[in-house]
């Protein structure tokens, strides 16, 4: 059995993890909201989109990132508060997957740096 200080430290880590994941959850919600807003009512963005039509595909990227952050933040919040090992394992697997994708993108960007 651990000491009282270990319990306080673990409790602090639990709530810090909840707070940071809640901020990720809010960021994902914001990106989802902006993406849906642009898709539903693009009148405010017509001048920007008219200048470069490729920017409209950026809306789908924003929606994808927002959905992923929303899910990641939700899993992290629920897993931290409930101390659910399954949710936390899924959360860390998603974090690992994102890290590996970023690593692969960085390696590809380095290899093909003349074309990027």
């Amino acid at each position: 059995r651990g000491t009282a200080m270990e319990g306080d430290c673990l409790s602090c880590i639990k709530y810090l993890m909840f707070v940071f994941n809640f901020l990720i959850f809010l960021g994902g919600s914001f990106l989802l909201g902006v993406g849906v807003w642009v898709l539903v009512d693009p009148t405010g963005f017509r001048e920007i989109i008219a200048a470069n039509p490729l920017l409209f595909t950026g809306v789908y990227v924003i929606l994808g990132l927002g959905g992923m952050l929303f899910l990641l933040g939700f899993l992290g919040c629920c897993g931290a508060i409930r101390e659910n090992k399954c949710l936390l394992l899924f959360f860390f697997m998603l974090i690992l997957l994102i890290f590996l994708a970023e690593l692969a993108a960085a390696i590809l960007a380095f290899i093909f740096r003349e074309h990027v």
Side-chain angles (χ1 to χ4, degrees), residues 82-94:
R82 294 178 171 249
E83 298 179 17
N84 187 323
K85 288 182 182 181
C86 183
L87 283 176
L88 288 174
L89 180 65
F90 191 61
F91 169 78
F92 286 116
M93 287 176 59
L94 277 175

Side-chain angles (χ1 to χ4, degrees), residues 9 19-20 22 32 35 39-41 57 70 77-78 81 97 116:
C9 190
V19 167
F20 287 123
F22 187 71
L32 276 174
L39 282 178
V40 171
D41 186 28
T57 56
F70 183 85
C77 285
C78 289
I81 288 299
L97 183 69
V116 175

Side-chain angles (χ1 to χ4, degrees), residues 7 14 20 38 44 59 62 83 99:
K14 171 182 164 179
F20 287 123
V38 171
V59 172
I62 289 174
E83 298 179 17
F99 174 73

Side-chain angles (χ1 to χ4, degrees), residues 54-72:
L54 282 176
L55 288 177
F56 198 70
T57 56
V59 172
Y60 297 110
V61 172
I62 289 174
L63 282 171
L65 287 174
M68 186 175 64
L69 288 174
F70 183 85
L71 177 66
L72 194 64

